[in-house]
Amino acid sequence: MDKKNALRAGALAAGTTLMMLLMSSPASALIRDDGDDPGHGLSVGETLGLYVLAPLALFAVIAGLVMALDKSKDRQPKAKAKA
C-alpha cells in the first residue's frame, strides 16, 4: 500500500510541476518596459562573492557566535558508572 501512495504522490507532484511550467508565461527579457533602467551585470567574481562567499561567511559568523556564547554546562560527556 505504501508503494501505491508514493507513486500517486510522485505522479501528482510531477503533473503539478509540468502544468505550472506549461501555464507560466515566458520571461520577457528582450522587451523593455517604460521606465526600465537596468544596471550593469555582475562579473563571475562578484556573483560568486555575493551568492556563495557572503552566505558562507554569514553562516560561519553566526555559528561561531553561537558556539562562543553557549553557556550550557550539560555538554560535557557523562562519566560511565563502573559496575
Side-chain angles (χ1 to χ4, degrees):
M1 195 62 157
D2 255 358
K3 210 178 232 186
K4 191 176 183 181
N5 285 340
L7 185 62
R8 185 178 296 157
L12 181 66
T16 304
T17 303
L18 183 63
M19 288 305 294
M20 289 181 75
L21 286 173
L22 290 175
M23 300 302 259
S24 64
S25 62
S28 305
L30 298 177
I31 301 170
R32 299 285 302 266
D33 289 333
D34 290 338
D36 190 15
D37 189 19
H40 69 284
L42 296 175
S43 70
V44 174
E46 290 171 333
T47 303
L48 288 175
L50 183 62
Y51 293 109
V52 176
L53 297 179
L56 287 175
L58 185 62
F59 175 80
V61 166
I62 292 172
L65 285 172
V66 167
M67 288 190 303
L69 299 175
D70 186 18
K71 302 282 187 205
S72 59
K73 303 293 182 199
D74 62 348
R75 300 282 186 234
Q76 302 300 324
K78 304 219 186 286
K80 292 184 179 180
K82 293 183 180 182

